[in-house]
Short mmCIF file of all heavy atoms in Angstrom, two decimals:
data_model
loop_
_atom_site.label_atom_id
_atom_site.label_comp_id
_atom_site.label_asym_id
_atom_site.label_seq_id
_atom_site.Cartn_x
_atom_site.Cartn_y
_atom_site.Cartn_z
N MET N 406 88.43 65.78 110.82
CA MET N 406 89.58 65.53 111.52
C MET N 406 89.68 66.40 112.81
O MET N 406 90.22 65.96 113.83
CB MET N 406 90.76 65.92 110.56
CG MET N 406 92.15 65.37 111.01
SD MET N 406 93.49 65.71 109.98
CE MET N 406 93.06 65.22 108.54
N CYS N 407 89.24 67.50 112.79
CA CYS N 407 89.40 68.57 113.94
C CYS N 407 88.28 68.23 114.99
O CYS N 407 87.05 68.04 114.78
CB CYS N 407 89.13 69.92 113.52
SG CYS N 407 89.22 71.10 114.82
N ALA N 408 88.70 68.00 116.27
CA ALA N 408 87.80 67.76 117.42
C ALA N 408 87.64 69.10 118.38
O ALA N 408 87.09 68.85 119.39
CB ALA N 408 88.31 66.54 118.20
N HIS N 409 88.23 70.17 117.87
CA HIS N 409 88.14 71.30 118.72
C HIS N 409 86.71 71.98 118.57
O HIS N 409 86.09 71.79 117.66
CB HIS N 409 89.15 72.39 118.18
CG HIS N 409 90.56 71.86 118.26
ND1 HIS N 409 91.28 71.58 117.11
CD2 HIS N 409 91.27 71.52 119.29
CE1 HIS N 409 92.53 71.24 117.45
NE2 HIS N 409 92.55 71.14 118.79
N ASN N 410 86.46 72.71 119.66
CA ASN N 410 85.12 73.38 119.63
C ASN N 410 85.44 74.87 119.90
O ASN N 410 85.95 75.26 120.94
CB ASN N 410 84.30 72.81 120.78
CG ASN N 410 82.79 73.30 120.54
OD1 ASN N 410 82.46 74.02 119.65
ND2 ASN N 410 81.97 72.97 121.66
N PRO N 411 85.06 75.79 118.90
CA PRO N 411 84.54 75.57 117.66
C PRO N 411 85.44 74.81 116.68
O PRO N 411 86.75 75.02 117.00
CB PRO N 411 84.19 76.92 117.21
CG PRO N 411 85.06 77.91 117.93
CD PRO N 411 85.40 77.30 119.23
N PRO N 412 85.09 74.19 115.77
CA PRO N 412 86.02 73.52 114.88
C PRO N 412 86.90 74.37 114.05
O PRO N 412 86.50 75.61 113.79
CB PRO N 412 85.09 72.77 113.97
CG PRO N 412 83.79 73.33 114.06
CD PRO N 412 83.63 74.03 115.40
N CYS N 413 88.26 74.05 113.86
CA CYS N 413 89.06 74.77 113.07
C CYS N 413 88.68 74.81 111.61
O CYS N 413 87.89 74.01 111.11
CB CYS N 413 90.53 74.09 113.16
SG CYS N 413 91.20 74.21 114.89
N PRO N 414 89.16 75.78 110.85
CA PRO N 414 88.94 75.81 109.48
C PRO N 414 89.35 74.65 108.72
O PRO N 414 90.25 74.02 109.08
CB PRO N 414 89.67 77.13 108.94
CG PRO N 414 90.09 77.78 110.17
CD PRO N 414 90.15 76.81 111.28
N THR N 415 88.66 74.23 107.65
CA THR N 415 88.99 73.02 106.84
C THR N 415 90.32 73.40 106.07
O THR N 415 90.69 74.56 105.96
CB THR N 415 87.90 72.63 105.92
OG1 THR N 415 87.69 73.66 104.96
CG2 THR N 415 86.63 72.43 106.63
N ALA N 416 90.85 72.31 105.54
CA ALA N 416 92.02 72.44 104.70
C ALA N 416 91.83 73.31 103.40
O ALA N 416 92.70 73.92 102.92
CB ALA N 416 92.66 71.05 104.31
N MET N 417 90.59 73.38 103.02
CA MET N 417 90.27 74.18 101.70
C MET N 417 89.65 75.54 102.03
O MET N 417 89.54 76.34 101.05
CB MET N 417 89.22 73.43 100.85
CG MET N 417 89.66 72.01 100.56
SD MET N 417 91.20 72.11 99.55
CE MET N 417 91.86 70.56 100.04
N ALA N 418 89.57 75.94 103.42
CA ALA N 418 89.14 77.26 103.62
C ALA N 418 90.23 78.31 103.47
O ALA N 418 91.32 77.86 103.61
CB ALA N 418 88.63 77.18 105.02
N PRO N 419 89.86 79.43 103.06
CA PRO N 419 90.82 80.50 102.92
C PRO N 419 91.66 80.81 104.15
O PRO N 419 92.80 81.15 104.17
CB PRO N 419 90.04 81.70 102.47
CG PRO N 419 88.65 81.33 102.34
CD PRO N 419 88.55 79.96 102.81
N ASP N 420 91.14 80.55 105.39
CA ASP N 420 91.73 80.85 106.65
C ASP N 420 92.32 79.52 107.21
O ASP N 420 92.50 79.51 108.39
CB ASP N 420 90.87 81.49 107.62
CG ASP N 420 89.64 80.81 107.89
OD1 ASP N 420 89.35 79.80 107.15
OD2 ASP N 420 88.98 81.18 108.99
N ARG N 421 92.71 78.57 106.40
CA ARG N 421 93.15 77.25 106.87
C ARG N 421 94.32 77.28 107.76
O ARG N 421 94.51 76.48 108.66
CB ARG N 421 93.36 76.27 105.62
CG ARG N 421 94.59 76.90 104.83
CD ARG N 421 94.89 75.83 103.62
NE ARG N 421 95.51 76.72 102.51
CZ ARG N 421 94.82 76.99 101.49
NH1 ARG N 421 93.56 76.74 101.34
NH2 ARG N 421 95.44 77.72 100.54
N GLU N 422 95.14 78.34 107.69
CA GLU N 422 96.29 78.51 108.61
C GLU N 422 95.93 78.78 109.99
O GLU N 422 96.82 78.77 110.87
CB GLU N 422 97.24 79.60 108.05
CG GLU N 422 97.89 79.28 106.73
CD GLU N 422 98.71 80.36 106.19
OE1 GLU N 422 98.98 81.26 106.80
OE2 GLU N 422 98.99 80.30 104.92
N ALA N 423 94.72 79.12 110.29
CA ALA N 423 94.26 79.42 111.66
C ALA N 423 93.99 78.18 112.44
O ALA N 423 93.69 78.32 113.65
CB ALA N 423 92.93 80.27 111.59
N ALA N 424 94.00 76.96 111.85
CA ALA N 424 93.81 75.73 112.55
C ALA N 424 94.95 75.50 113.62
O ALA N 424 96.02 75.98 113.45
CB ALA N 424 93.80 74.61 111.58
N ARG N 425 94.60 74.81 114.61
CA ARG N 425 95.58 74.50 115.70
C ARG N 425 96.66 73.50 115.24
O ARG N 425 96.39 72.49 114.57
CB ARG N 425 94.93 73.88 116.82
CG ARG N 425 93.99 74.86 117.56
CD ARG N 425 93.42 74.34 118.88
NE ARG N 425 92.42 75.13 119.41
CZ ARG N 425 91.85 74.82 120.51
NH1 ARG N 425 92.12 73.77 121.31
NH2 ARG N 425 90.85 75.73 121.01
N PRO N 426 97.85 73.78 115.65
CA PRO N 426 98.96 72.92 115.32
C PRO N 426 98.91 71.70 116.17
O PRO N 426 98.58 71.75 117.35
CB PRO N 426 100.20 73.65 115.58
CG PRO N 426 99.84 74.85 116.46
CD PRO N 426 98.42 75.11 116.22
N VAL N 427 99.14 70.57 115.56
CA VAL N 427 99.18 69.27 116.31
C VAL N 427 100.52 68.63 116.42
O VAL N 427 100.83 67.76 117.22
CB VAL N 427 98.08 68.24 115.77
CG1 VAL N 427 96.72 68.76 116.01
CG2 VAL N 427 98.37 67.87 114.34
N ALA N 428 101.45 69.11 115.61
CA ALA N 428 102.79 68.57 115.61
C ALA N 428 103.73 69.73 115.15
O ALA N 428 103.47 70.46 114.08
CB ALA N 428 103.05 67.51 114.66
N LEU N 429 104.75 70.19 115.92
CA LEU N 429 105.56 71.33 115.61
C LEU N 429 107.04 70.83 115.45
O LEU N 429 107.54 70.08 116.27
CB LEU N 429 105.62 72.36 116.72
CG LEU N 429 104.25 72.99 117.07
CD1 LEU N 429 104.24 73.75 118.31
CD2 LEU N 429 103.84 73.79 115.88
N ARG N 430 107.63 71.18 114.36
CA ARG N 430 109.02 70.66 114.17
C ARG N 430 109.81 71.92 113.69
O ARG N 430 110.17 72.01 112.53
CB ARG N 430 109.08 69.55 113.09
CG ARG N 430 108.47 68.22 113.47
CD ARG N 430 109.18 67.62 114.69
NE ARG N 430 108.69 66.34 115.06
CZ ARG N 430 107.80 66.00 116.02
NH1 ARG N 430 107.34 67.14 116.75
NH2 ARG N 430 107.30 64.97 116.32
N PRO N 431 110.08 72.86 114.55
CA PRO N 431 110.72 74.15 114.16
C PRO N 431 112.09 73.76 113.64
O PRO N 431 112.68 74.57 112.75
CB PRO N 431 110.68 74.99 115.42
CG PRO N 431 110.45 74.13 116.51
CD PRO N 431 109.66 72.96 115.94
N GLU N 432 112.76 72.89 114.19
CA GLU N 432 114.16 72.52 113.75
C GLU N 432 114.18 72.00 112.33
O GLU N 432 115.15 72.16 111.56
CB GLU N 432 114.79 71.55 114.75
CG GLU N 432 114.30 70.09 114.63
CD GLU N 432 113.00 69.82 115.36
OE1 GLU N 432 112.37 70.75 115.95
OE2 GLU N 432 112.55 68.66 115.25
N GLN N 433 113.08 71.44 111.79
CA GLN N 433 112.84 71.16 110.45
C GLN N 433 112.15 72.09 109.62
O GLN N 433 112.03 71.97 108.30
CB GLN N 433 112.18 69.76 110.37
CG GLN N 433 113.13 68.61 110.95
CD GLN N 433 112.37 67.32 111.09
OE1 GLN N 433 111.19 67.13 110.61
NE2 GLN N 433 113.02 66.29 111.45
N GLY N 434 111.52 73.10 110.32
CA GLY N 434 110.89 74.17 109.59
C GLY N 434 109.48 73.92 109.12
O GLY N 434 108.97 74.46 108.16
N TRP N 435 108.71 72.96 109.78
CA TRP N 435 107.34 72.74 109.56
C TRP N 435 106.42 72.48 110.71
O TRP N 435 106.96 72.18 111.84
CB TRP N 435 107.16 71.60 108.48
CG TRP N 435 107.75 70.31 109.13
CD1 TRP N 435 108.99 69.85 108.89
CD2 TRP N 435 106.93 69.30 109.79
NE1 TRP N 435 109.05 68.57 109.50
CE2 TRP N 435 107.91 68.24 110.07
CE3 TRP N 435 105.73 69.21 110.21
CZ2 TRP N 435 107.53 67.15 110.73
CZ3 TRP N 435 105.29 67.97 111.02
CH2 TRP N 435 106.29 67.03 111.26
N SER N 436 105.08 72.77 110.43
CA SER N 436 104.13 72.36 111.52
C SER N 436 103.02 71.69 110.77
O SER N 436 102.58 72.02 109.63
CB SER N 436 103.69 73.69 112.16
OG SER N 436 104.62 74.34 112.80
N LEU N 437 102.36 70.74 111.49
CA LEU N 437 101.18 69.96 110.95
C LEU N 437 100.02 70.50 111.76
O LEU N 437 99.92 70.64 112.94
CB LEU N 437 101.30 68.51 111.24
CG LEU N 437 100.01 67.72 110.84
CD1 LEU N 437 99.74 67.81 109.35
CD2 LEU N 437 100.27 66.24 111.32
N LEU N 438 99.01 71.06 111.09
CA LEU N 438 97.81 71.58 111.58
C LEU N 438 96.75 70.58 111.78
O LEU N 438 96.73 69.49 110.95
CB LEU N 438 97.22 72.74 110.78
CG LEU N 438 98.22 73.85 110.48
CD1 LEU N 438 97.65 74.93 109.65
CD2 LEU N 438 98.81 74.41 111.85
N CYS N 439 95.67 70.71 112.51
CA CYS N 439 94.76 69.63 112.80
C CYS N 439 93.85 69.42 111.64
O CYS N 439 93.07 68.34 111.52
CB CYS N 439 93.89 69.97 114.09
SG CYS N 439 92.77 71.28 113.81
N ASN N 440 93.89 70.32 110.58
CA ASN N 440 93.05 70.15 109.42
C ASN N 440 93.85 69.37 108.39
O ASN N 440 93.42 69.20 107.19
CB ASN N 440 92.57 71.38 108.81
CG ASN N 440 93.62 72.41 108.70
OD1 ASN N 440 94.88 72.17 108.67
ND2 ASN N 440 93.26 73.66 108.34
N GLY N 441 95.17 68.83 108.74
CA GLY N 441 95.99 68.08 107.82
C GLY N 441 96.80 68.90 106.90
O GLY N 441 97.51 68.33 106.04
N VAL N 442 96.88 70.17 107.08
CA VAL N 442 97.81 71.03 106.35
C VAL N 442 99.18 71.06 106.84
O VAL N 442 99.34 71.30 108.14
CB VAL N 442 97.15 72.56 106.17
CG1 VAL N 442 98.19 73.40 105.37
CG2 VAL N 442 95.92 72.47 105.49
N LEU N 443 100.27 70.91 106.14
CA LEU N 443 101.59 71.01 106.49
C LEU N 443 102.03 72.61 106.15
O LEU N 443 101.88 72.93 104.95
CB LEU N 443 102.54 70.06 105.82
CG LEU N 443 102.77 68.78 106.47
CD1 LEU N 443 103.54 67.87 105.49
CD2 LEU N 443 103.45 68.92 107.65
N VAL N 444 102.39 73.36 107.15
CA VAL N 444 102.74 74.64 106.97
C VAL N 444 104.30 74.87 107.12
O VAL N 444 104.82 74.30 108.11
CB VAL N 444 102.07 75.62 107.97
CG1 VAL N 444 102.49 77.11 107.73
CG2 VAL N 444 100.54 75.54 107.77
N PHE N 445 104.96 75.38 106.22
CA PHE N 445 106.43 75.37 106.24
C PHE N 445 106.72 76.88 106.62
O PHE N 445 105.99 77.89 106.40
CB PHE N 445 107.08 75.10 104.85
CG PHE N 445 106.70 73.68 104.53
CD1 PHE N 445 105.66 73.38 103.62
CD2 PHE N 445 107.51 72.65 105.01
CE1 PHE N 445 105.39 72.06 103.35
CE2 PHE N 445 107.25 71.35 104.58
CZ PHE N 445 106.14 71.06 103.84
N GLU N 446 108.05 77.01 107.30
CA GLU N 446 108.45 78.33 107.74
C GLU N 446 108.59 79.31 106.69
O GLU N 446 108.47 80.55 107.01
CB GLU N 446 109.80 78.14 108.58
CG GLU N 446 110.93 77.81 107.59
CD GLU N 446 112.21 77.56 108.40
OE1 GLU N 446 112.16 77.56 109.72
OE2 GLU N 446 113.30 77.48 107.82
N ASP N 447 108.70 78.88 105.37
CA ASP N 447 108.75 79.93 104.34
C ASP N 447 107.40 80.36 103.84
O ASP N 447 107.17 81.07 102.90
CB ASP N 447 109.58 79.46 103.12
CG ASP N 447 108.84 78.34 102.40
OD1 ASP N 447 107.86 77.82 102.86
OD2 ASP N 447 109.40 77.98 101.36
N THR N 448 106.36 79.91 104.55
CA THR N 448 104.80 80.16 104.39
C THR N 448 104.28 79.39 103.23
O THR N 448 103.19 79.56 102.87
CB THR N 448 104.47 81.67 104.32
OG1 THR N 448 105.04 82.11 102.97
CG2 THR N 448 105.02 82.50 105.32
N GLY N 449 104.96 78.42 102.70
CA GLY N 449 104.50 77.42 101.85
C GLY N 449 103.61 76.40 102.51
O GLY N 449 103.77 76.32 103.69
N GLU N 450 102.82 75.73 101.81
CA GLU N 450 101.81 74.77 102.33
C GLU N 450 101.68 73.51 101.61
O GLU N 450 101.83 73.64 100.29
CB GLU N 450 100.52 75.36 102.68
CG GLU N 450 100.50 76.56 103.47
CD GLU N 450 99.05 77.26 103.46
OE1 GLU N 450 98.06 76.68 102.93
OE2 GLU N 450 99.02 78.46 104.09
N LEU N 451 101.58 72.40 102.25
CA LEU N 451 101.17 71.21 101.45
C LEU N 451 99.76 70.71 102.02
O LEU N 451 99.64 70.59 103.17
CB LEU N 451 102.22 70.05 101.76
CG LEU N 451 102.00 68.68 101.16
CD1 LEU N 451 102.05 68.88 99.59
CD2 LEU N 451 103.01 67.81 101.63
N LEU N 452 98.92 70.78 101.07
CA LEU N 452 97.51 70.44 101.49
C LEU N 452 97.24 68.90 101.52
O LEU N 452 98.05 68.04 100.93
CB LEU N 452 96.41 71.01 100.48
CG LEU N 452 96.57 72.56 100.30
CD1 LEU N 452 95.55 73.02 99.30
CD2 LEU N 452 96.39 73.22 101.70
N PRO N 453 96.28 68.41 102.24
CA PRO N 453 96.08 66.99 102.40
C PRO N 453 95.85 66.25 101.06
O PRO N 453 96.18 64.97 100.98
CB PRO N 453 94.71 66.81 103.32
CG PRO N 453 94.69 68.18 104.02
CD PRO N 453 95.40 69.17 103.14
N ASP N 454 95.38 66.95 100.03
CA ASP N 454 95.13 66.24 98.86
C ASP N 454 96.41 66.22 97.91
O ASP N 454 96.25 65.82 96.82
CB ASP N 454 93.96 66.85 98.01
CG ASP N 454 94.15 68.31 97.64
OD1 ASP N 454 95.17 68.84 97.93
OD2 ASP N 454 93.25 68.86 97.02
N GLY N 455 97.50 66.73 98.40
CA GLY N 455 98.70 66.79 97.75
C GLY N 455 99.11 68.10 96.92
O GLY N 455 100.20 68.14 96.38
N ARG N 456 98.11 68.94 96.81
CA ARG N 456 98.34 70.21 96.31
C ARG N 456 99.36 71.11 96.98
O ARG N 456 99.37 70.99 98.24
CB ARG N 456 97.03 71.08 96.02
CG ARG N 456 96.28 70.48 95.03
CD ARG N 456 95.04 71.26 94.59
NE ARG N 456 94.17 71.26 95.71
CZ ARG N 456 93.35 72.37 96.03
NH1 ARG N 456 93.31 73.44 95.30
NH2 ARG N 456 92.50 72.19 97.08
N ILE N 457 100.08 71.89 96.30
CA ILE N 457 101.09 72.73 96.90
C ILE N 457 100.61 74.19 96.91
O ILE N 457 100.13 74.63 95.85
CB ILE N 457 102.41 72.60 96.19
CG1 ILE N 457 102.97 71.07 96.39
CG2 ILE N 457 103.44 73.60 96.62
CD1 ILE N 457 104.10 70.73 95.48
N VAL N 458 100.85 74.96 97.98
CA VAL N 458 100.58 76.34 97.98
C VAL N 458 101.90 77.06 98.13
O VAL N 458 102.71 76.73 99.13
CB VAL N 458 99.71 76.73 99.22
CG1 VAL N 458 99.49 78.22 99.18
CG2 VAL N 458 98.33 75.98 99.06
N ALA N 459 102.23 77.83 97.11
CA ALA N 459 103.59 78.54 97.03
C ALA N 459 103.62 79.50 98.27
O ALA N 459 102.74 79.96 98.84
CB ALA N 459 103.72 79.25 95.83
N PRO N 460 104.92 79.63 98.59
CA PRO N 460 105.19 80.60 99.85
C PRO N 460 104.47 81.96 99.43
O PRO N 460 104.54 82.49 98.34
CB PRO N 460 106.67 80.81 99.82
CG PRO N 460 107.17 79.55 99.27
CD PRO N 460 106.17 79.12 98.20
N HIS N 461 103.91 82.60 100.48
CA HIS N 461 103.18 83.87 100.29
C HIS N 461 103.48 84.83 101.31
O HIS N 461 102.53 85.46 101.93
CB HIS N 461 101.64 83.51 100.14
CG HIS N 461 101.11 82.67 101.30
ND1 HIS N 461 101.23 81.34 101.24
CD2 HIS N 461 100.53 83.01 102.39
CE1 HIS N 461 100.75 80.87 102.37
NE2 HIS N 461 100.22 81.92 103.09
N ARG N 462 104.69 85.07 101.56
CA ARG N 462 105.13 86.08 102.57
C ARG N 462 104.87 87.42 101.95
O ARG N 462 104.99 87.61 100.78
CB ARG N 462 106.75 86.12 102.76
CG ARG N 462 107.14 84.98 103.62
CD ARG N 462 108.65 85.08 103.83
NE ARG N 462 109.08 84.00 104.75
CZ ARG N 462 110.20 83.57 104.80
NH1 ARG N 462 111.20 84.01 104.03
NH2 ARG N 462 110.60 82.44 105.55
N PRO N 463 104.32 88.28 102.88
CA PRO N 463 104.06 89.73 102.45
C PRO N 463 105.41 90.45 101.93
O PRO N 463 106.43 90.13 102.53
CB PRO N 463 103.41 90.36 103.48
CG PRO N 463 104.00 89.71 104.79
CD PRO N 463 104.06 88.16 104.26
N LEU N 464 105.30 91.13 100.87
CA LEU N 464 106.34 91.93 100.45
C LEU N 464 106.77 93.14 101.44
O LEU N 464 105.87 93.64 101.99
CB LEU N 464 106.14 92.67 99.06
CG LEU N 464 106.00 91.69 97.98
CD1 LEU N 464 105.50 92.50 96.72
CD2 LEU N 464 107.18 90.80 97.67
N ALA N 465 107.98 93.25 101.71
CA ALA N 465 108.52 94.22 102.61
C ALA N 465 108.13 95.69 102.07
O ALA N 465 108.41 95.92 100.90
CB ALA N 465 109.93 94.16 103.00
N LEU N 466 107.68 96.56 102.88
CA LEU N 466 107.36 97.84 102.47
C LEU N 466 108.67 98.73 102.71
O LEU N 466 109.25 98.61 103.77
CB LEU N 466 106.21 98.41 103.18
CG LEU N 466 104.84 97.69 103.10
CD1 LEU N 466 103.80 98.34 103.90
CD2 LEU N 466 104.43 97.81 101.58
N THR N 467 108.93 99.52 101.66
CA THR N 467 110.09 100.40 101.93
C THR N 467 109.54 101.88 101.86
O THR N 467 108.60 102.26 101.17
CB THR N 467 111.11 100.29 100.69
OG1 THR N 467 110.41 100.48 99.51
CG2 THR N 467 111.62 98.80 100.79
N VAL N 468 110.16 102.68 102.74
CA VAL N 468 109.78 103.98 102.86
C VAL N 468 110.87 104.82 102.16
O VAL N 468 111.93 104.83 102.68
CB VAL N 468 109.50 104.45 104.32
CG1 VAL N 468 109.13 105.92 104.45
CG2 VAL N 468 108.50 103.47 104.99
N GLY N 469 110.49 105.57 101.18
CA GLY N 469 111.47 106.44 100.49
C GLY N 469 111.68 107.79 101.25
O GLY N 469 110.60 108.25 101.82
N SER N 470 112.76 108.31 101.26
CA SER N 470 112.89 109.57 101.87
C SER N 470 112.78 110.82 100.76
O SER N 470 113.08 110.58 99.67
CB SER N 470 114.27 109.79 102.56
OG SER N 470 115.33 109.57 101.53
N ALA N 471 112.18 111.86 101.24
CA ALA N 471 112.02 113.02 100.26
C ALA N 471 113.38 113.63 100.03
O ALA N 471 114.15 113.98 101.04
CB ALA N 471 111.00 113.96 100.96
N ALA N 472 113.59 114.09 98.79
CA ALA N 472 114.93 114.53 98.57
C ALA N 472 114.89 116.00 98.37
O ALA N 472 114.00 116.70 98.12
CB ALA N 472 115.48 113.96 97.24
#
């Protein structure tokens, strides 16, 4: 599907989110990547084969103060 040089990661690659966006709909909260992956603003994904990847935002780190 990707015609970029070098080619973007495939939809099954661990770094699939590095593919170039071909359609951006920030008002709707999603982007379509050239590898066919739909990426949502909550970091969830819909893969071309219909599988769902749950949102995977990193947890916020909290710094405790010494008492």
Side-chain angles (χ1 to χ4, degrees):
M406 194 182 303
C407 178
H409 301 112
N410 192 8
C413 293
T415 68
M417 299 305 147
D420 59 344
R421 65 180 153 259
E422 295 174 13
R425 292 187 188 181
V427 294
L429 300 169
R430 296 294 184 264
E432 71 280 1
Q433 295 178 355
W435 59 269
S436 298
L437 175 64
L438 305 180
C439 72
N440 57 9
V442 175
L443 272 172
V444 179
F445 298 95
E446 67 182 12
D447 69 352
T448 69
E450 301 171 6
L451 179 60
L452 303 181
D454 64 2
R456 286 189 291 150
I457 296 170
V458 177
H461 49 278
R462 286 186 177 155
L464 297 175
L466 296 176
T467 57
V468 178
S470 58

